[in-house]
Amino acid sequence: MNLFHRIQLALLSGCASLLSLLGFRGLSRIGSGVGRLMWHLLPSRRRLATQNVARHLNLPEEQARDIARSAFRHNARSFMEILLTDRFGMDFPELRIGEPELFQQLKNCSRPIVAATAHLGAWELLASMLGELYEPPRPRMVVVRRYPNPAVQAFISSRREARGATMVGHRTVVAAVLRALRKNGIVAFLVDHNAPRSEALFLPFMGEETAVNMGPALLAVRAEALIWPVCLMREGNGYVFHLQEPLDTATLKGSREEKVLAAATFYTKAVEKAVQRAPEQWFWMHNRWKQHPSA
């Protein structure tokens, strides 16, 4: 970073320190307020979110608008929560485990794990939890999109890595992820965003085919990892860590392409199930279905 970027980083860190003094309740209120403001200031995103909800949940427009409006508030809260990642972990008093038996299986698992999650609920705080699942030197890694501004990237990385997880950029991911998985580590991917056609399989999601990133599936198959769907949902003033039954890619049959297809189909259906559980907490303003197989 040059001097300008270092100044930017210092300002970001200072503002974050001041805002974090408000705690979870205070930042939750600010996030909800920012979400309401975004709802009014971003009409194109508001229309897109409402249309997405109506079409993919088969709801009338008025009900779809209510869910989309709530999603704006939840999404803004997610961005604010990155300021509190250093305070959130397994010992957080208002954290509940939704499926205790599955959680114990995850804690006791000594195999390589690909954690499949989404822009759903408190996804920024989820990195804090994953950083505490296992003791070092077992790798705990989260694959993220990197920001072009080095000051912003340094700030975001410092927040996401506050509780032990390592961030790795999605464009330089293969070697690092395979090393981590071969050491029986856990690597988390956000698998609900649009993927370039060259990196995608077209699979049904919420009733419509869309481009699904096959990278996590390919890496899981190569490492014979378990794919474990996880998410961190909001519940009142607290949070619930939800898990679904994992897929053991070592048991898949067929060619590598068939195994990758089965793995990608598995985590796409898992995300769909999680979104249907709490649609108001998903990132509906994203144009998830902009690519089609026939285009």
Side-chain angles (χ1 to χ4, degrees), residues 13-295:
S13 300
C15 290
S17 296
L18 289 175
L19 286 171
S20 66
L21 295 175
L22 298 172
F24 282 85
R25 301 286 175 87
L27 283 178
S28 172
R29 288 191 290 270
I30 290 177
S32 294
V34 171
R36 292 188 185 94
L37 186 63
M38 291 169 59
W39 175 260
H40 293 291
L41 295 181
L42 300 175
S44 62
R45 291 291 177 178
R46 182 175 68 229
R47 285 192 298 271
L48 176 62
T50 302
Q51 292 167 2
N52 279 338
V53 173
R55 186 167 77 247
H56 296 101
L57 294 181
N58 193 26
L59 294 174
E61 183 175 355
E62 183 176 352
Q63 191 174 351
R65 280 177 62 86
D66 289 341
I67 290 176
R69 187 183 296 110
S70 294
F72 270 66
R73 294 197 298 269
H74 276 282
N75 298 159
R77 286 178 65 182
S78 296
F79 291 116
M80 297 301 295
E81 283 164 344
I82 197 171
L83 304 179
L84 298 169
T85 49
D86 58 337
R87 303 187 193 180
F88 189 87
M90 293 295 181
D91 58 351
F92 189 72
E94 294 179 278
L95 170 66
R96 181 170 67 84
I97 305 300
E99 297 77 22
E101 291 186 5
L102 284 178
F103 180 69
Q104 283 305 312
Q105 291 179 35
L106 178 63
K107 286 282 289 181
N108 297 332
C109 181
S110 58
R111 297 269 309 281
I113 297 168
V114 167
T117 189
H119 295 87
L120 177 69
W123 70 78
E124 291 290 359
L125 294 179
L126 184 60
S128 298
M129 287 192 62
L130 295 179
E132 293 189 337
L133 266 178
Y134 305 111
E135 294 293 328
R138 190 172 182 183
R140 295 141 297 152
M141 182 178 291
V142 181
V143 177
V144 296
R145 293 179 180 269
R146 298 186 68 85
Y147 293 86
N149 184 308
V152 174
Q153 178 59 43
F155 172 74
I156 295 293
S157 292
S158 70
R159 306 308 303 176
R160 288 173 172 167
E161 294 179 343
R163 299 299 283 258
T166 300
M167 303 296 119
V168 60
H170 73 294
R171 291 301 181 193
T172 57
V173 72
V174 175
V177 167
L178 286 177
R179 281 197 301 270
L181 293 176
R182 285 166 181 160
K183 295 177 181 178
N184 295 323
I186 181 170
V187 182
F189 291 85
L190 290 156
V191 298
D192 62 332
H193 52 73
N194 184 64
R197 185 173 294 271
S198 61
E199 303 171 9
L201 295 169
F202 283 90
L203 300 171
F205 176 64
M206 305 294 290
E208 184 179 351
E209 284 203 342
T210 189
V212 174
N213 188 351
M214 64 177 166
L218 178 59
L219 292 166
V221 167
R222 287 182 61 178
E224 294 191 337
L226 279 77
I227 299 178
W228 218 304
V230 299
C231 61
L232 184 65
M233 311 297 291
R234 295 188 191 87
E235 186 178 79
N237 291 320
Y239 301 88
V240 184
F241 183 52
H242 283 295
L243 305 93
Q244 297 180 42
E245 291 282 351
L247 171 70
D248 187 349
T249 62
T251 66
L252 295 175
K253 306 297 183 183
S255 65
R256 174 171 288 186
E257 289 75 17
E258 290 169 330
K259 293 178 181 179
V260 169
L261 175 61
T265 300
F266 170 77
Y267 57 64
T268 302
K269 289 182 176 178
V271 169
E272 180 177 294
K273 181 179 178 180
V275 171
Q276 290 171 337
R277 183 201 293 264
E280 74 284 356
Q281 297 193 37
W282 193 53
F283 200 68
W284 290 100
M285 68 180 78
H286 170 50
N287 191 2
R288 181 66 187 90
W289 295 270
K290 67 181 178 181
Q291 289 199 82
H292 297 275
S294 57

